[in-house]
Amino acid sequence: MIFKKLIPSLIILVIAEEVWTHVEIEAEDYFFPLEPVINFCKMADQCQHDFVAICGQDSLGISRMFNDNCDLYEYNCDEKKQYRHVKLDVCKYEAAASERAQYS
């Protein structure tokens, strides 16, 4: 009787552990772990502008707006930076400032 309750409980714990480990890995990826250097200059050369504004953030947490992904690649290439595309919410203050500047 006790084994009927113990085995399903153990299975649930193992599944929960797997899910939690996966969530932790994704969180680490979001904060830019050490990885090989990306050739942003090559990416910028091959990129076609679509002019969809994006937010970029570097490994120090400094965020800024870019015109599009190609603009981010070009900036990284020219300035030797490592900005990555992140959620637009991260740049909410920069986005609000650019909207105010657009209408003034």
mmCIF file of all heavy atoms in Angstrom, residues 14-56:
data_model
loop_
_atom_site.group_PDB
_atom_site.id
_atom_site.type_symbol
_atom_site.label_atom_id
_atom_site.label_comp_id
_atom_site.label_asym_id
_atom_site.label_seq_id
_atom_site.Cartn_x
_atom_site.Cartn_y
_atom_site.Cartn_z
ATOM 1 N N VAL A 14 10.863 13.674 -9.436
ATOM 2 C CA VAL A 14 11.876 13.620 -10.497
ATOM 3 C C VAL A 14 11.491 14.549 -11.645
ATOM 4 O O VAL A 14 12.323 15.306 -12.162
ATOM 5 C CB VAL A 14 12.067 12.169 -10.990
ATOM 6 C CG1 VAL A 14 12.891 12.121 -12.267
ATOM 7 C CG2 VAL A 14 12.704 11.327 -9.904
ATOM 8 N N ILE A 15 10.235 14.547 -12.034
ATOM 9 C CA ILE A 15 9.770 15.432 -13.112
ATOM 10 C C ILE A 15 9.901 16.887 -12.687
ATOM 11 O O ILE A 15 10.352 17.731 -13.473
ATOM 12 C CB ILE A 15 8.324 15.080 -13.508
ATOM 13 C CG1 ILE A 15 8.288 13.703 -14.172
ATOM 14 C CG2 ILE A 15 7.745 16.147 -14.434
ATOM 15 C CD1 ILE A 15 6.892 13.163 -14.416
ATOM 16 N N ALA A 16 9.524 17.190 -11.459
ATOM 17 C CA ALA A 16 9.631 18.565 -10.967
ATOM 18 C C ALA A 16 11.085 19.028 -10.966
ATOM 19 O O ALA A 16 11.386 20.173 -11.311
ATOM 20 C CB ALA A 16 9.034 18.673 -9.572
ATOM 21 N N GLU A 17 11.997 18.148 -10.590
ATOM 22 C CA GLU A 17 13.419 18.506 -10.591
ATOM 23 C C GLU A 17 13.904 18.813 -12.011
ATOM 24 O O GLU A 17 14.632 19.765 -12.239
ATOM 25 C CB GLU A 17 14.244 17.364 -9.998
ATOM 26 C CG GLU A 17 15.733 17.651 -10.000
ATOM 27 C CD GLU A 17 16.571 16.459 -9.582
ATOM 28 O OE1 GLU A 17 16.002 15.363 -9.394
ATOM 29 O OE2 GLU A 17 17.783 16.638 -9.451
ATOM 30 N N GLU A 18 13.482 18.002 -12.988
ATOM 31 C CA GLU A 18 13.872 18.226 -14.374
ATOM 32 C C GLU A 18 13.356 19.575 -14.880
ATOM 33 O O GLU A 18 14.068 20.318 -15.535
ATOM 34 C CB GLU A 18 13.345 17.099 -15.271
ATOM 35 C CG GLU A 18 14.040 15.787 -15.069
ATOM 36 C CD GLU A 18 15.479 15.817 -15.520
ATOM 37 O OE1 GLU A 18 15.790 16.464 -16.533
ATOM 38 O OE2 GLU A 18 16.315 15.200 -14.835
ATOM 39 N N VAL A 19 12.112 19.886 -14.571
ATOM 40 C CA VAL A 19 11.522 21.157 -14.996
ATOM 41 C C VAL A 19 12.267 22.312 -14.343
ATOM 42 O O VAL A 19 12.612 23.297 -14.997
ATOM 43 C CB VAL A 19 10.009 21.211 -14.661
ATOM 44 C CG1 VAL A 19 9.469 22.602 -14.858
ATOM 45 C CG2 VAL A 19 9.250 20.201 -15.498
ATOM 46 N N TRP A 20 12.534 22.236 -13.058
ATOM 47 C CA TRP A 20 13.211 23.325 -12.350
ATOM 48 C C TRP A 20 14.617 23.541 -12.900
ATOM 49 O O TRP A 20 15.060 24.666 -13.081
ATOM 50 C CB TRP A 20 13.258 23.043 -10.860
ATOM 51 C CG TRP A 20 13.860 24.185 -10.107
ATOM 52 C CD1 TRP A 20 15.057 24.219 -9.486
ATOM 53 C CD2 TRP A 20 13.290 25.476 -9.931
ATOM 54 N NE1 TRP A 20 15.271 25.441 -8.925
ATOM 55 C CE2 TRP A 20 14.203 26.237 -9.185
ATOM 56 C CE3 TRP A 20 12.092 26.060 -10.337
ATOM 57 C CZ2 TRP A 20 13.957 27.562 -8.836
ATOM 58 C CZ3 TRP A 20 11.850 27.378 -9.983
ATOM 59 C CH2 TRP A 20 12.779 28.100 -9.247
ATOM 60 N N THR A 21 15.330 22.469 -13.208
ATOM 61 C CA THR A 21 16.667 22.580 -13.779
ATOM 62 C C THR A 21 16.606 23.280 -15.121
ATOM 63 O O THR A 21 17.432 24.134 -15.427
ATOM 64 C CB THR A 21 17.301 21.189 -13.940
ATOM 65 O OG1 THR A 21 17.305 20.545 -12.673
ATOM 66 C CG2 THR A 21 18.708 21.279 -14.461
ATOM 67 N N HIS A 22 15.620 22.963 -15.924
ATOM 68 C CA HIS A 22 15.460 23.605 -17.231
ATOM 69 C C HIS A 22 15.186 25.096 -17.068
ATOM 70 O O HIS A 22 15.737 25.908 -17.794
ATOM 71 C CB HIS A 22 14.325 22.931 -18.003
ATOM 72 C CG HIS A 22 14.122 23.494 -19.356
ATOM 73 N ND1 HIS A 22 15.023 23.298 -20.373
ATOM 74 C CD2 HIS A 22 13.140 24.272 -19.859
ATOM 75 C CE1 HIS A 22 14.591 23.928 -21.448
ATOM 76 N NE2 HIS A 22 13.459 24.513 -21.167
ATOM 77 N N VAL A 23 14.358 25.468 -16.112
ATOM 78 C CA VAL A 23 14.052 26.876 -15.873
ATOM 79 C C VAL A 23 15.313 27.629 -15.460
ATOM 80 O O VAL A 23 15.563 28.737 -15.913
ATOM 81 C CB VAL A 23 12.950 27.019 -14.795
ATOM 82 C CG1 VAL A 23 12.809 28.452 -14.339
ATOM 83 C CG2 VAL A 23 11.628 26.494 -15.325
ATOM 84 N N GLU A 24 16.147 27.030 -14.603
ATOM 85 C CA GLU A 24 17.384 27.679 -14.176
ATOM 86 C C GLU A 24 18.331 27.884 -15.349
ATOM 87 O O GLU A 24 18.967 28.922 -15.465
ATOM 88 C CB GLU A 24 18.058 26.859 -13.093
ATOM 89 C CG GLU A 24 17.365 26.928 -11.756
ATOM 90 C CD GLU A 24 18.044 26.071 -10.698
ATOM 91 O OE1 GLU A 24 19.088 25.467 -11.000
ATOM 92 O OE2 GLU A 24 17.509 26.019 -9.595
ATOM 93 N N ILE A 25 18.418 26.935 -16.254
ATOM 94 C CA ILE A 25 19.296 27.074 -17.414
ATOM 95 C C ILE A 25 18.824 28.221 -18.286
ATOM 96 O O ILE A 25 19.617 29.036 -18.742
ATOM 97 C CB ILE A 25 19.351 25.756 -18.210
ATOM 98 C CG1 ILE A 25 20.120 24.708 -17.413
ATOM 99 C CG2 ILE A 25 19.992 25.970 -19.577
ATOM 100 C CD1 ILE A 25 20.047 23.320 -17.987
ATOM 101 N N GLU A 26 17.519 28.342 -18.525
ATOM 102 C CA GLU A 26 17.003 29.438 -19.325
ATOM 103 C C GLU A 26 17.290 30.780 -18.664
ATOM 104 O O GLU A 26 17.626 31.743 -19.327
ATOM 105 C CB GLU A 26 15.507 29.276 -19.564
ATOM 106 C CG GLU A 26 15.175 28.184 -20.547
ATOM 107 C CD GLU A 26 13.698 28.042 -20.789
ATOM 108 O OE1 GLU A 26 12.904 28.715 -20.117
ATOM 109 O OE2 GLU A 26 13.330 27.252 -21.668
ATOM 110 N N ALA A 27 17.172 30.861 -17.343
ATOM 111 C CA ALA A 27 17.451 32.110 -16.641
ATOM 112 C C ALA A 27 18.924 32.479 -16.799
ATOM 113 O O ALA A 27 19.260 33.642 -16.996
ATOM 114 C CB ALA A 27 17.085 31.979 -15.165
ATOM 115 N N GLU A 28 19.815 31.490 -16.746
ATOM 116 C CA GLU A 28 21.230 31.772 -16.942
ATOM 117 C C GLU A 28 21.496 32.265 -18.353
ATOM 118 O O GLU A 28 22.298 33.160 -18.563
ATOM 119 C CB GLU A 28 22.056 30.519 -16.667
ATOM 120 C CG GLU A 28 22.116 30.134 -15.208
ATOM 121 C CD GLU A 28 22.770 28.779 -14.996
ATOM 122 O OE1 GLU A 28 23.281 28.196 -15.976
ATOM 123 O OE2 GLU A 28 22.757 28.314 -13.854
ATOM 124 N N ASP A 29 20.847 31.694 -19.344
ATOM 125 C CA ASP A 29 21.025 32.128 -20.719
ATOM 126 C C ASP A 29 20.611 33.578 -20.890
ATOM 127 O O ASP A 29 21.208 34.311 -21.662
ATOM 128 C CB ASP A 29 20.206 31.254 -21.679
ATOM 129 C CG ASP A 29 20.790 29.866 -21.825
ATOM 130 O OD1 ASP A 29 21.957 29.680 -21.432
ATOM 131 O OD2 ASP A 29 20.073 28.983 -22.318
ATOM 132 N N TYR A 30 19.582 33.991 -20.174
ATOM 133 C CA TYR A 30 19.103 35.361 -20.293
ATOM 134 C C TYR A 30 20.164 36.349 -19.821
ATOM 135 O O TYR A 30 20.251 37.453 -20.316
ATOM 136 C CB TYR A 30 17.815 35.538 -19.480
ATOM 137 C CG TYR A 30 17.229 36.913 -19.607
ATOM 138 C CD1 TYR A 30 16.561 37.288 -20.753
ATOM 139 C CD2 TYR A 30 17.376 37.835 -18.585
ATOM 140 C CE1 TYR A 30 16.034 38.548 -20.887
ATOM 141 C CE2 TYR A 30 16.850 39.108 -18.707
ATOM 142 C CZ TYR A 30 16.172 39.460 -19.852
ATOM 143 O OH TYR A 30 15.660 40.710 -19.984
ATOM 144 N N PHE A 31 21.005 35.952 -18.874
ATOM 145 C CA PHE A 31 22.010 36.858 -18.343
ATOM 146 C C PHE A 31 23.365 36.677 -19.020
ATOM 147 O O PHE A 31 24.391 36.983 -18.457
ATOM 148 C CB PHE A 31 22.135 36.675 -16.823
ATOM 149 C CG PHE A 31 20.916 37.147 -16.110
ATOM 150 C CD1 PHE A 31 20.035 36.247 -15.558
ATOM 151 C CD2 PHE A 31 20.639 38.499 -16.015
ATOM 152 C CE1 PHE A 31 18.887 36.689 -14.913
ATOM 153 C CE2 PHE A 31 19.500 38.948 -15.375
ATOM 154 C CZ PHE A 31 18.627 38.048 -14.825
ATOM 155 N N PHE A 32 23.376 36.201 -20.254
ATOM 156 C CA PHE A 32 24.539 36.156 -21.108
ATOM 157 C C PHE A 32 25.735 35.432 -20.480
ATOM 158 O O PHE A 32 26.699 36.062 -20.084
ATOM 159 C CB PHE A 32 24.983 37.573 -21.502
ATOM 160 C CG PHE A 32 23.849 38.465 -21.882
ATOM 161 C CD1 PHE A 32 23.637 39.636 -21.208
ATOM 162 C CD2 PHE A 32 22.992 38.115 -22.898
ATOM 163 C CE1 PHE A 32 22.593 40.474 -21.543
ATOM 164 C CE2 PHE A 32 21.948 38.942 -23.238
ATOM 165 C CZ PHE A 32 21.746 40.124 -22.561
ATOM 166 N N PRO A 33 25.679 34.126 -20.419
ATOM 167 C CA PRO A 33 26.832 33.399 -19.887
ATOM 168 C C PRO A 33 28.029 33.560 -20.820
ATOM 169 O O PRO A 33 27.895 34.026 -21.941
ATOM 170 C CB PRO A 33 26.343 31.954 -19.861
ATOM 171 C CG PRO A 33 25.325 31.900 -20.942
ATOM 172 C CD PRO A 33 24.648 33.248 -20.927
ATOM 173 N N LEU A 34 29.192 33.140 -20.364
ATOM 174 C CA LEU A 34 30.367 33.192 -21.219
ATOM 175 C C LEU A 34 30.128 32.316 -22.437
ATOM 176 O O LEU A 34 29.676 31.187 -22.344
ATOM 177 C CB LEU A 34 31.590 32.680 -20.452
ATOM 178 C CG LEU A 34 32.014 33.533 -19.269
ATOM 179 C CD1 LEU A 34 33.154 32.841 -18.525
ATOM 180 C CD2 LEU A 34 32.442 34.914 -19.718
ATOM 181 N N GLU A 35 30.423 32.865 -23.592
ATOM 182 C CA GLU A 35 30.231 32.131 -24.826
ATOM 183 C C GLU A 35 31.264 32.611 -25.832
ATOM 184 O O GLU A 35 31.905 33.638 -25.623
ATOM 185 C CB GLU A 35 28.818 32.335 -25.361
ATOM 186 C CG GLU A 35 28.461 33.781 -25.594
ATOM 187 C CD GLU A 35 27.004 33.967 -25.944
ATOM 188 O OE1 GLU A 35 26.162 33.271 -25.379
ATOM 189 O OE2 GLU A 35 26.724 34.818 -26.790
ATOM 190 N N PRO A 36 31.442 31.898 -26.934
ATOM 191 C CA PRO A 36 32.420 32.343 -27.927
ATOM 192 C C PRO A 36 32.065 33.727 -28.461
ATOM 193 O O PRO A 36 30.899 34.111 -28.496
ATOM 194 C CB PRO A 36 32.321 31.292 -29.023
ATOM 195 C CG PRO A 36 31.418 30.239 -28.537
ATOM 196 C CD PRO A 36 30.757 30.702 -27.290
ATOM 197 N N VAL A 37 33.066 34.456 -28.871
ATOM 198 C CA VAL A 37 32.843 35.793 -29.410
ATOM 199 C C VAL A 37 32.074 35.678 -30.724
ATOM 200 O O VAL A 37 32.432 34.883 -31.594
ATOM 201 C CB VAL A 37 34.186 36.516 -29.630
ATOM 202 C CG1 VAL A 37 33.983 37.859 -30.292
ATOM 203 C CG2 VAL A 37 34.924 36.667 -28.314
ATOM 204 N N ILE A 38 31.036 36.471 -30.846
ATOM 205 C CA ILE A 38 30.203 36.467 -32.045
ATOM 206 C C ILE A 38 30.751 37.510 -33.013
ATOM 207 O O ILE A 38 31.097 38.618 -32.604
ATOM 208 C CB ILE A 38 28.739 36.782 -31.689
ATOM 209 C CG1 ILE A 38 28.192 35.681 -30.791
ATOM 210 C CG2 ILE A 38 27.891 36.938 -32.940
ATOM 211 C CD1 ILE A 38 26.834 35.977 -30.217
ATOM 212 N N ASN A 39 30.824 37.182 -34.272
ATOM 213 C CA ASN A 39 31.316 38.112 -35.278
ATOM 214 C C ASN A 39 30.163 39.017 -35.722
ATOM 215 O O ASN A 39 29.486 38.750 -36.709
ATOM 216 C CB ASN A 39 31.908 37.341 -36.462
ATOM 217 C CG ASN A 39 32.610 38.253 -37.435
ATOM 218 O OD1 ASN A 39 32.406 39.464 -37.429
ATOM 219 N ND2 ASN A 39 33.416 37.661 -38.289
ATOM 220 N N PHE A 40 29.954 40.100 -34.961
ATOM 221 C CA PHE A 40 28.860 41.007 -35.270
ATOM 222 C C PHE A 40 29.089 41.746 -36.578
ATOM 223 O O PHE A 40 28.132 42.131 -37.241
ATOM 224 C CB PHE A 40 28.657 42.002 -34.126
ATOM 225 C CG PHE A 40 28.040 41.378 -32.909
ATOM 226 C CD1 PHE A 40 28.773 41.161 -31.764
ATOM 227 C CD2 PHE A 40 26.706 41.005 -32.907
ATOM 228 C CE1 PHE A 40 28.211 40.589 -30.642
ATOM 229 C CE2 PHE A 40 26.124 40.423 -31.788
ATOM 230 C CZ PHE A 40 26.879 40.213 -30.656
ATOM 231 N N CYS A 41 30.340 41.964 -36.966
ATOM 232 C CA CYS A 41 30.627 42.656 -38.228
ATOM 233 C C CYS A 41 30.124 41.829 -39.411
ATOM 234 O O CYS A 41 29.510 42.358 -40.340
ATOM 235 C CB CYS A 41 32.114 42.940 -38.356
ATOM 236 S SG CYS A 41 32.746 44.039 -37.066
ATOM 237 N N LYS A 42 30.368 40.530 -39.362
ATOM 238 C CA LYS A 42 29.893 39.648 -40.431
ATOM 239 C C LYS A 42 28.365 39.607 -40.448
ATOM 240 O O LYS A 42 27.739 39.652 -41.502
ATOM 241 C CB LYS A 42 30.464 38.244 -40.238
ATOM 242 C CG LYS A 42 30.096 37.280 -41.326
ATOM 243 C CD LYS A 42 30.763 35.944 -41.129
ATOM 244 C CE LYS A 42 30.390 34.991 -42.258
ATOM 245 N NZ LYS A 42 31.021 33.682 -42.076
ATOM 246 N N MET A 43 27.765 39.546 -39.258
ATOM 247 C CA MET A 43 26.304 39.534 -39.170
ATOM 248 C C MET A 43 25.719 40.840 -39.704
ATOM 249 O O MET A 43 24.698 40.840 -40.389
ATOM 250 C CB MET A 43 25.867 39.285 -37.726
ATOM 251 C CG MET A 43 26.222 37.900 -37.232
ATOM 252 S SD MET A 43 25.900 37.651 -35.485
ATOM 253 C CE MET A 43 24.131 37.633 -35.444
ATOM 254 N N ALA A 44 26.369 41.966 -39.408
ATOM 255 C CA ALA A 44 25.889 43.261 -39.886
ATOM 256 C C ALA A 44 25.969 43.338 -41.411
ATOM 257 O O ALA A 44 25.069 43.892 -42.062
ATOM 258 C CB ALA A 44 26.698 44.390 -39.252
ATOM 259 N N ASP A 45 27.031 42.787 -41.989
ATOM 260 C CA ASP A 45 27.177 42.799 -43.447
ATOM 261 C C ASP A 45 26.096 41.989 -44.148
ATOM 262 O O ASP A 45 25.671 42.322 -45.249
ATOM 263 C CB ASP A 45 28.551 42.254 -43.851
ATOM 264 C CG ASP A 45 29.674 43.222 -43.526
ATOM 265 O OD1 ASP A 45 29.403 44.423 -43.323
ATOM 266 O OD2 ASP A 45 30.836 42.760 -43.462
ATOM 267 N N GLN A 46 25.645 40.920 -43.518
ATOM 268 C CA GLN A 46 24.665 40.024 -44.140
ATOM 269 C C GLN A 46 23.219 40.388 -43.786
ATOM 270 O O GLN A 46 22.293 39.792 -44.309
ATOM 271 C CB GLN A 46 24.949 38.589 -43.714
ATOM 272 C CG GLN A 46 26.285 38.081 -44.174
ATOM 273 C CD GLN A 46 26.618 36.714 -43.621
ATOM 274 O OE1 GLN A 46 25.931 36.194 -42.758
ATOM 275 N NE2 GLN A 46 27.702 36.122 -44.115
ATOM 276 N N CYS A 47 23.032 41.349 -42.919
ATOM 277 C CA CYS A 47 21.702 41.678 -42.399
ATOM 278 C C CYS A 47 20.968 42.662 -43.315
ATOM 279 O O CYS A 47 21.588 43.525 -43.934
ATOM 280 C CB CYS A 47 21.883 42.286 -41.001
ATOM 281 S SG CYS A 47 20.344 42.457 -40.101
ATOM 282 N N GLN A 48 19.654 42.525 -43.373
ATOM 283 C CA GLN A 48 18.811 43.476 -44.106
ATOM 284 C C GLN A 48 17.918 44.188 -43.105
ATOM 285 O O GLN A 48 17.201 43.548 -42.337
ATOM 286 C CB GLN A 48 17.969 42.765 -45.155
ATOM 287 C CG GLN A 48 18.812 42.215 -46.274
ATOM 288 C CD GLN A 48 17.961 41.700 -47.410
ATOM 289 O OE1 GLN A 48 16.740 41.688 -47.339
ATOM 290 N NE2 GLN A 48 18.609 41.270 -48.467
ATOM 291 N N HIS A 49 17.949 45.517 -43.137
ATOM 292 C CA HIS A 49 17.187 46.325 -42.177
ATOM 293 C C HIS A 49 15.685 46.135 -42.376
ATOM 294 O O HIS A 49 15.194 46.136 -43.495
ATOM 295 C CB HIS A 49 17.531 47.806 -42.336
ATOM 296 C CG HIS A 49 18.927 48.135 -41.916
ATOM 297 N ND1 HIS A 49 19.263 48.412 -40.618
ATOM 298 C CD2 HIS A 49 20.085 48.213 -42.631
ATOM 299 C CE1 HIS A 49 20.555 48.668 -40.542
ATOM 300 N NE2 HIS A 49 21.081 48.550 -41.753
ATOM 301 N N ASP A 50 14.975 45.978 -41.255
ATOM 302 C CA ASP A 50 13.509 45.917 -41.305
ATOM 303 C C ASP A 50 12.884 47.066 -40.512
ATOM 304 O O ASP A 50 11.683 47.260 -40.539
ATOM 305 C CB ASP A 50 12.990 44.572 -40.799
ATOM 306 C CG ASP A 50 13.399 44.262 -39.363
ATOM 307 O OD1 ASP A 50 13.970 45.135 -38.696
ATOM 308 O OD2 ASP A 50 13.146 43.131 -38.924
ATOM 309 N N PHE A 51 13.704 47.841 -39.809
ATOM 310 C CA PHE A 51 13.297 49.031 -39.062
ATOM 311 C C PHE A 51 12.199 48.756 -38.034
ATOM 312 O O PHE A 51 11.301 49.557 -37.845
ATOM 313 C CB PHE A 51 12.907 50.167 -40.018
ATOM 314 C CG PHE A 51 14.035 50.541 -40.929
ATOM 315 C CD1 PHE A 51 14.078 50.102 -42.243
ATOM 316 C CD2 PHE A 51 15.096 51.289 -40.446
ATOM 317 C CE1 PHE A 51 15.137 50.425 -43.069
ATOM 318 C CE2 PHE A 51 16.163 51.619 -41.268
ATOM 319 C CZ PHE A 51 16.186 51.187 -42.588
ATOM 320 N N VAL A 52 12.297 47.610 -37.386
ATOM 321 C CA VAL A 52 11.435 47.281 -36.258
ATOM 322 C C VAL A 52 12.263 47.501 -35.002
ATOM 323 O O VAL A 52 13.236 46.785 -34.766
ATOM 324 C CB VAL A 52 10.934 45.821 -36.321
ATOM 325 C CG1 VAL A 52 10.123 45.475 -35.088
ATOM 326 C CG2 VAL A 52 10.132 45.599 -37.590
ATOM 327 N N ALA A 53 11.914 48.519 -34.216
ATOM 328 C CA ALA A 53 12.705 48.897 -33.047
ATOM 329 C C ALA A 53 12.829 47.740 -32.060
ATOM 330 O O ALA A 53 11.867 47.009 -31.826
ATOM 331 C CB ALA A 53 12.076 50.098 -32.360
ATOM 332 N N ILE A 54 14.033 47.579 -31.534
ATOM 333 C CA ILE A 54 14.287 46.534 -30.537
ATOM 334 C C ILE A 54 15.060 47.131 -29.372
ATOM 335 O O ILE A 54 15.625 48.214 -29.473
ATOM 336 C CB ILE A 54 15.078 45.347 -31.123
ATOM 337 C CG1 ILE A 54 16.487 45.789 -31.550
ATOM 338 C CG2 ILE A 54 14.336 44.683 -32.255
ATOM 339 C CD1 ILE A 54 17.435 44.630 -31.749
ATOM 340 N N CYS A 55 15.073 46.394 -28.281
ATOM 341 C CA CYS A 55 15.844 46.773 -27.097
ATOM 342 C C CYS A 55 17.056 45.865 -27.020
ATOM 343 O O CYS A 55 16.958 44.672 -27.253
ATOM 344 C CB CYS A 55 14.978 46.623 -25.847
ATOM 345 S SG CYS A 55 15.843 46.986 -24.318
ATOM 346 N N GLY A 56 18.206 46.453 -26.715
ATOM 347 C CA GLY A 56 19.423 45.683 -26.533
ATOM 348 C C GLY A 56 19.991 45.919 -25.148
ATOM 349 O O GLY A 56 19.840 47.005 -24.581
#
